[in-house]
């Protein structure tokens, strides 16, 4: 048996000139994620219809739930164009909702086959009547219904109820490709997710400081990247070995400047790698004021080490909202695993809170970090994390 999904697209609909390009990108993306089994994706009048074998329906839903550009989807039933069959399908669709105690509904009908004997108003009235008869506790509420039954009469009739919401936003890649600075924390995976939703395809960069940071810390970042890969449809994770950089900072910089200089070195490395990879932007999980050192002054200082766009989608986000998003997208439980961060080498008691721009640039530049950073970038190791239907979850922490 076939499972049929009706897919709604969001913002793409608002694109004038290049809508076709956005749509093609989205269709290619959906098909690519479903490439391990047979699927048919067609579009008509601004709607997409996806057909897969019933045994692949759960995987199709998983893919739809994680594809940016998909606003939502509903499992639809396709019936012959007779009122009996249409009403029967609507009753089947309503039964689980009625069982859940939903008590108000409306029917919304569309008829593009003008040869069909009833107009859309007539279809809605008949279907509504059948529902009221079968479920006497239900009432019609056209303004604020708990549930809506949709009927579309085209070459066949399609019946469905409210669907599930998707990621929304724009198809991956429509905004170019950026480099996500991915740490093991809560924020940066969420920042990556938000930019994916704006159409930015991502590669990730993690700064590792082995042996000061452990193999487990890297595995945690890999699992976070693998999770993001289910939204992006696959992702490259680059690891830069930053131990030498950190040791040089520890040797040459004043303790209160170590964190700030590490950030500047990270930005420098990100700039080099992004340019080598042809990426257009750098994404960071910084949030203004979240920790004392995340100030506009410090962001200005570190930002001076790239001329690419720096995207900080969490700059204005409350931590509680970030945590909520992290839980929803499945990264939170991985992020809170206790493996150490890359900055364990330094923990200044009084880090610089508001970098003085000219002064700090001169001091940093005089220490000559370019070569050691360039060496770390030259030695970057890359793994490819494919799209999978089973993203990693937080593994048990070994004792
Ligand atoms: P996160 O939860 O994302 O780690 P945070 O609030 O802990 O963020 P910081 O540790 O100050 O903040 O890092 C700010 C941003 O710098 C991170 O969101 C991330 O984008 C980047 N970053 C920090 N450490 C690393 C790292 N080891 N590798 C790659 N990027 C990093
Ligand atoms: Mg962090």
């Amino acid at each position: 048996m076939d499972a049929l999904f009706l897919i709604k697209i969001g913002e793409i609909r608002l694109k004038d000139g290049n809508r076709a390009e956005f749509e093609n990108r989205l269709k290619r993306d959906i098909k690519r994620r479903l490439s391990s089994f047979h699927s048919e994706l067609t579009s008509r009048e601004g709607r997409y219809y996806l057909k897969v074998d019933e045994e692949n329906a759960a995987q199709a839903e998983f893919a739809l739930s994680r594809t940016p550009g998909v606003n939502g989807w509903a499992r639809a039933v396709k019936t012959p164009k007779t009122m009996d069959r249409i009403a029967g399908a609507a009753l089947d669709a309503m039964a689980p909702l009625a069982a859940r105690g939903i008590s108000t509904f409306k029917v919304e009908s569309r008829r593009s086959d003008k040869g069909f004997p009833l107009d859309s108003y007539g279809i809605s009235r008949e279907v509504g009547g059948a529902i009221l008869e079968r479920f006497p506790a239900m009432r019609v509420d056209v303004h604020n219904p708990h549930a809506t039954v949709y009927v579309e009469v085209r070459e066949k009739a399609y019946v469905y109820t409210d669907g599930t919401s998707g990621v929304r936003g724009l198809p991956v890649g429509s905004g170019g490709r950026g480099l996500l600075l991915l740490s093991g924390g809560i924020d940066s995976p969420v920042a990556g997710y938000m930019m994916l939703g704006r159409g930015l395809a991502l590669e990730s960069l993690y700064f590792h400081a082995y042996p000061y940071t452990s193999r487990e810390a890297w595995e945690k970042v890999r699992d976070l990247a693998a999770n993001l890969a289910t939204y992006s449809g696959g992702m490259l994770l680059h690891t830069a070995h930053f131990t030498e950089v950190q040791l040089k900072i520890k040797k040459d910089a004043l303790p209160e400047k170590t964190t700030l200089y590490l950030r500047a070195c990270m930005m420098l490395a990100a700039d080099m790698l992004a340019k080598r990879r042809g990426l257009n932007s750098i994404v960071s999980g910084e949030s203004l004021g979240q920790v004392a050192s995340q100030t506009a002054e410090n962001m200005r200082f570190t930002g001076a080490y790239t001329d690419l766009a720096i995207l900080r989608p969490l700059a204005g986000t409350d931590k509680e909202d970030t945590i909520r998003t992290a839980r929803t997208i499945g990264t939170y439980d991985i992020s809170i695993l206790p493996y150490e961060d890359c900055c364990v080498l330094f923990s200044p008691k009084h880090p610089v809170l508001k970098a003085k721009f000219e002064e700090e640039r001169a001091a940093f530049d005089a220490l000559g970090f370019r070569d050691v950073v360039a060496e770390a970038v030259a030695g970057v190791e890359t793994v490819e994390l494919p799209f999978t239907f089973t993203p990693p979850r937080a593994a048990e922490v070994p004792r």
Side-chain angles (χ1 to χ4, degrees):
M1 211 185 85
D2 288 334
L4 183 71
F5 295 95
L6 199 138
I7 301 169
K8 292 179 194 163
I9 55 176
E11 253 186 90
I12 304 181
R13 276 184 300 119
L14 311 173
K15 301 277 166 198
D16 296 333
N18 46 4
R19 172 170 169 170
E21 188 193 319
F22 278 82
E23 289 212 27
N24 287 335
R25 200 178 270 285
L26 180 60
K27 285 182 206 160
R28 273 203 310 274
D29 196 6
I30 295 172
K31 283 294 281 187
R32 202 160 41 85
R33 290 166 197 245
L34 304 179
S35 59
S36 56
F37 48 82
H38 177 75
S39 65
E40 284 169 41
L41 182 64
T42 51
S43 60
R44 193 175 305 125
E45 295 164 37
R47 305 241 169 186
Y48 294 7
Y49 298 88
L50 173 69
K51 200 157 81 173
V52 300
D53 280 349
E54 182 60 47
E55 65 187 66
N56 300 125
Q59 292 186 320
E61 285 212 52
F62 178 86
L64 292 176
S65 74
R66 291 183 181 229
T67 305
V70 169
N71 252 38
W73 70 93
R75 189 70 191 262
V77 178
K78 188 171 168 181
T79 74
K81 289 191 279 189
T82 67
M83 277 319 294
D84 266 8
R85 299 292 292 271
I86 291 171
L91 292 175
D92 288 347
M94 280 308 274
L97 301 179
R100 281 211 323 255
I102 279 173
S103 59
T104 63
F105 76 100
K106 74 171 172 178
V107 182
E108 237 181 75
S109 303
R110 279 218 252 169
R111 179 192 64 153
S112 46
D113 169 8
K114 301 297 173 203
F116 192 73
L118 295 181
D119 64 7
S120 53
Y121 176 74
I123 299 168
S124 293
R125 206 185 43 207
E126 284 221 9
V127 171
I131 291 171
L132 290 171
E133 197 171 303
R134 169 76 65 86
F135 306 105
M138 286 269 183
R139 278 185 303 106
V140 173
D141 180 346
V142 291
H143 299 297
N144 210 2
H146 292 147
T148 304
V149 179
Y150 300 87
V151 178
E152 295 186 17
V153 180
R154 306 163 178 275
E155 84 300 345
K156 293 273 179 187
Y158 297 90
V159 179
Y160 56 99
T161 53
D162 303 302
T164 312
S165 305
V167 174
R168 301 175 298 177
L170 299 169
V172 173
S174 58
R177 294 188 301 145
L179 184 63
L180 170 66
L181 299 184
L182 183 62
S183 71
I186 294 169
D187 299 316
S188 43
V190 173
Y193 167 79
M194 289 177 72
M195 294 322 300
L196 284 169
R198 297 311 301 161
L200 194 68
L202 290 178
E203 298 184 5
S204 290
L205 171 59
Y206 170 60
F207 296 101
H208 199 34
Y210 190 80
Y212 302 98
T213 55
S214 62
R215 173 82 192 170
E216 285 85 355
W218 181 84
E219 285 169 356
K220 172 177 161 180
V221 173
R222 180 206 52 202
D223 286 354
L224 290 170
N227 219 288
L228 288 177
T230 61
Y231 292 95
S232 60
M235 182 183 280
L236 295 181
L237 170 63
H238 306 286
T239 301
H241 298 277
F242 241 40
T243 313
E244 289 306 317
V245 176
Q246 295 212 32
L247 290 174
K248 179 173 163 57
I249 294 173
K250 194 170 170 69
K251 178 164 72 69
D252 293 349
L254 293 170
E256 66 269 27
K257 301 197 174 177
T258 49
T259 309
L260 188 65
Y261 286 9
L262 176 61
R263 295 277 176 259
C265 288
M266 286 181 180
M267 195 59 85
L268 204 50
D271 180 78
M272 291 175 191
L273 183 68
K275 284 174 181 161
R276 191 170 98 196
R277 301 282 312 152
L279 311 178
N280 70 10
S281 51
I282 295 170
V283 180
S284 139
E286 287 162 306
S287 180
L288 191 67
Q290 188 188 89
V291 291
S293 60
Q294 288 181 13
T295 60
E297 287 80 1
N298 287 6
M299 290 182 199
R300 179 186 180 202
F301 171 68
T302 53
Y305 292 94
T306 182
D307 55 9
L308 294 172
I310 303 175
L311 303 171
R312 297 181 179 92
L314 303 184
T317 306
D318 188 89
K319 186 80 182 190
E320 276 184 32
D321 294 328
T322 302
I323 289 175
R324 191 171 316 122
T325 307
R327 285 186 196 280
T328 310
I329 67 175
T331 55
Y332 182 77
D333 289 338
I334 302 170
S335 290
I336 59 172
L337 291 172
Y339 304 116
E340 66 282 13
D341 204 348
C342 82
C343 317
V344 284
L345 266 178
F346 353 104
S347 42
K349 285 208 182 59
H350 304 289
V352 174
L353 298 186
K354 293 187 178 183
K356 296 198 179 66
F357 189 66
E358 308 295 348
E359 199 177 298
E360 216 56 83
R361 285 204 67 182
F364 178 83
D365 294 347
L367 292 176
F369 285 106
R370 256 174 208 280
D371 289 349
V372 67
V373 169
E375 217 168 291
V377 174
V380 154
E381 291 178 88
T382 302
V383 292
E384 184 172 357
L385 300 162
F387 170 80
T388 69
F389 293 108
T390 47
R393 308 192 154 278
E396 285 283 306
V397 182
R399 282 166 213 287

